[in-house]
């Protein structure tokens, strides 16, 4: 009986720290078994069909000064932009016309955009009849509650790393505070998305194991893992790329342990490897985000600087087909 078979016979959801560490570093045959197990769990939980989300990057203004992000407020080389309500609603209608029923509004942490969100969220929800997903940074509990009242369905706030010292070093704010915001999102009745970055400076294997254990404790509705990609005009611009195998193994472990959450195959995988998003789907993912931001703004939304891969609908369909999967219909 193989190691994976032993874990499967024990239920799989009760992975210990040693099990997570071994699976996280899986290579060759063990990795193939892990990915096959993740696909099996995804299929058994009726989560095989891939969900598409349409993202609109509404603004690159940000209050934060995270060392890994070129949208940090001290980056004076970046031209800033904010889409107006009319632009956002036109793009949201385009997302609906493409057959995608989740409008994902993403932007830097900037309370100055709240008046825009107050206008567009109810229209997207009630008139366009679309689900609304937000990723707009750390906000007071009352603001998360307000977003829910306006019609938002879900909110993404990644903790990035469970290592408190490392989080403080790269984001210059306490991890404890970040986790408090995550609790507030859940308390507001919003579905929660969170996750980590693989390959941060001085990140240890133990830290990555603890990331996975934190995800298991939080039990988010969707959870992601992304390889670090260095970005120009940041303190980490010369740091090495994150390890894709560790990222894929993290995704597979989360599928096995949590079973039902939505797990995106992130664009960063494609930035590092051709067909990287297909690799993510083969490791247990079941979400791809399509970019509907206008080209002039895409170039200014500096998540991964010049190495950014902008996902088109055609690319997503091709990745899903290559993984032998299908797109989830609205009726599913």
């Amino acid at each position: 009986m193989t190691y994976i078979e032993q874990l499967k016979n024990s239920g799989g959801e009760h992975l210990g720290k040693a099990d997570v560490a071994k699976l996280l570093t899986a290579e060759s045959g063990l990795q193939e078994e892990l990915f096959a197990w993740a696909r099996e769990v995804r299929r058994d939980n009726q989560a095989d069909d891939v969900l598409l989300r349409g993202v609109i990057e509404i603004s690159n203004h940000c209050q934060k000064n995270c060392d890994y992000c070129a949208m940090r407020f001290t980056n004076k080389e970046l031209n800033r932009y904010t889409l107006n309500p009319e632009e956002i609603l036109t793009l949201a209608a385009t997302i609906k016309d493409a057959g995608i029923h989740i409008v994902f509004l993403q932007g830097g942490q900037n309370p100055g955009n709240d008046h825009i969100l107050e206008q567009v969220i109810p229209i997207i929800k009630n008139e366009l009849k679309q689900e609304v997903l937000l990723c707009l940074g750390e906000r007071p509990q009352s603001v998360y509650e307000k977003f829910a009242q306006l019609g938002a369905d879900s909110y993404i706030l990644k903790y990035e790393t469970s290592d408190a010292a490392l989080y403080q070093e790269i984001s210059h704010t306490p991890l404890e505070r970040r986790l408090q915001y995550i609790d507030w999102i859940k308390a507001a009745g919003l579905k929660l998305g969170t996750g980590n970055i693989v390959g941060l400076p001085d990140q240890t294997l133990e830290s990555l194991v603890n990331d996975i254990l934190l995800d298991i404790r939080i039990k988010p509705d969707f959870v992601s893992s992304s390889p670090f990609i260095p970005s120009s005009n940041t303190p980490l611009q010369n740091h090495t790329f994150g390890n894709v195998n560790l990222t894929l193994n993290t995704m597979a472990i989360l599928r096995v342990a949590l079973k039902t959450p939505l797990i995106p195959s992130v664009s960063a995988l494609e930035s590092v490897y051709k067909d990287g998003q297909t690799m993510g789907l083969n490791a247990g993912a079941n979400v791809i985000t399509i970019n509907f931001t206008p080209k002039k703004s895409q170039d200014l939304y500096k998540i991964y600087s010049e190495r950014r891969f902008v996902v088109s609908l055609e690319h997503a369909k091709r990745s899903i087909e290559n993984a032998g999967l299908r797109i989830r219909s609205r009726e599913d």
Side-chain angles (χ1 to χ4, degrees):
M1 183 180 295
T2 68
Y3 177 67
I4 294 289
E5 288 171 339
Q6 292 176 29
L7 292 176
K8 289 169 68 173
N9 287 342
S10 68
E13 65 270 23
H14 303 299
L15 296 173
K17 196 167 186 176
D19 295 321
V20 172
K22 182 167 182 175
L23 294 175
L24 189 56
T25 55
E27 297 178 339
S28 303
L30 179 59
Q31 186 183 54
E32 291 174 7
E33 281 192 86
L34 172 60
F35 291 174
W37 186 16
R39 294 192 297 271
E40 178 185 323
V41 170
R42 185 181 62 192
R43 182 176 61 251
D44 290 348
N45 285 275
Q46 292 76 53
D48 252 357
D49 293 346
V50 180
L51 184 70
L52 298 183
R53 310 188 293 210
V55 68
I56 306 169
E57 293 151 340
I58 66 171
S59 176
N60 66 354
H61 289 269
C62 191
Q63 296 174 323
K64 298 272 287 183
N65 202 34
C66 302
D67 287 358
Y68 53 85
C69 182
M71 294 196 304
R72 61 203 315 263
F73 75 81
T74 55
N75 181 8
K76 305 304 181 185
E77 301 300 316
L78 180 62
N79 293 324
R80 305 287 175 167
Y81 78 91
T82 299
L83 301 181
N84 63 46
E86 292 75 19
E87 290 174 306
I88 294 170
L89 291 172
T90 298
L91 294 166
T94 302
I95 291 171
K96 181 177 182 178
D97 290 343
I100 299 170
H101 65 274
I102 298 176
V103 175
F104 180 8
L105 302 179
Q106 183 174 19
Q109 182 174 304
N110 180 19
N113 291 331
D114 283 5
H115 69 288
I116 296 174
L117 296 163
E118 289 169 7
Q119 296 176 62
V120 302
I121 291 174
I123 294 174
I124 295 170
K125 180 68 174 181
N126 301 317
E127 297 184 23
L128 294 180
K129 306 297 184 184
Q130 297 285 81
E131 292 184 30
V132 179
L133 166 62
L134 305 177
C135 181
L136 302 164
E138 301 168 352
R139 312 305 295 278
Q141 185 173 10
S142 60
V143 174
Y144 293 132
E145 292 169 351
K146 184 176 184 178
F147 286 153
Q149 291 164 3
L150 288 168
D153 298 280
S154 46
Y155 200 102
I156 293 174
L157 188 69
K158 295 176 68 173
Y159 59 83
E160 316 297 16
T161 174
S162 61
D163 183 321
L166 176 56
Y167 184 83
Q168 179 73 45
E169 181 180 344
I170 63 170
S171 73
H172 314 291
T173 56
L175 176 63
E176 182 180 5
R177 184 190 304 172
R178 188 77 164 184
L179 297 178
Q180 177 66 77
Y181 292 118
I182 287 173
D183 287 341
W184 285 345
I185 291 167
K186 295 174 71 175
L190 295 163
K191 293 180 182 177
L192 171 69
T194 193
N196 75 340
I197 298 174
V198 173
L200 293 167
D202 302 319
Q203 192 176 46
T204 64
L205 178 63
E206 181 179 12
S207 173
L208 290 170
V209 169
N210 287 334
D211 289 353
I212 294 171
L213 296 178
L214 176 59
D215 287 324
I216 293 172
R217 278 201 310 279
I218 293 174
K219 292 183 172 58
D221 299 283
F222 19 100
V223 60
S224 68
S225 185
S226 303
F228 173 80
I229 296 179
S231 187
S232 301
N233 298 310
T234 70
L236 301 183
Q237 63 183 1
N238 296 319
H239 190 63
T240 56
F241 285 75
N243 186 294
V244 169
N245 275 332
L246 287 174
T247 306
L248 294 171
N249 290 348
T250 297
M251 295 162 63
I253 296 166
L254 291 171
R255 172 61 66 202
V256 166
L258 293 172
K259 294 186 168 49
T260 59
L262 295 170
I263 300 178
S265 185
V266 296
S267 62
L269 292 170
E270 201 74 34
S271 298
V272 179
Y273 280 129
K274 185 180 183 300
D275 298 326
Q277 288 189 289
T278 297
M279 294 166 66
L281 296 173
N282 285 333
N286 60 351
V287 178
I288 291 184
T289 299
I290 317 300
N291 197 301
F292 284 83
T293 308
K295 180 65 167 62
K296 62 180 181 179
S297 300
Q298 285 177 4
D299 293 341
L300 298 174
Y301 200 79
K302 297 289 190 180
I303 297 184
Y304 307 128
S305 193
E306 66 277 357
R307 284 298 297 263
R308 185 183 191 199
F309 184 88
V310 177
V311 180
S312 66
L313 182 56
E314 294 72 22
H315 167 80
K317 288 179 176 178
R318 187 165 56 251
S319 298
I320 293 165
E321 181 180 357
N322 289 343
L325 300 173
R326 66 172 191 170
I327 296 171
R328 183 188 301 187
S329 70
R330 185 155 196 159
E331 290 72 33
D332 288 345

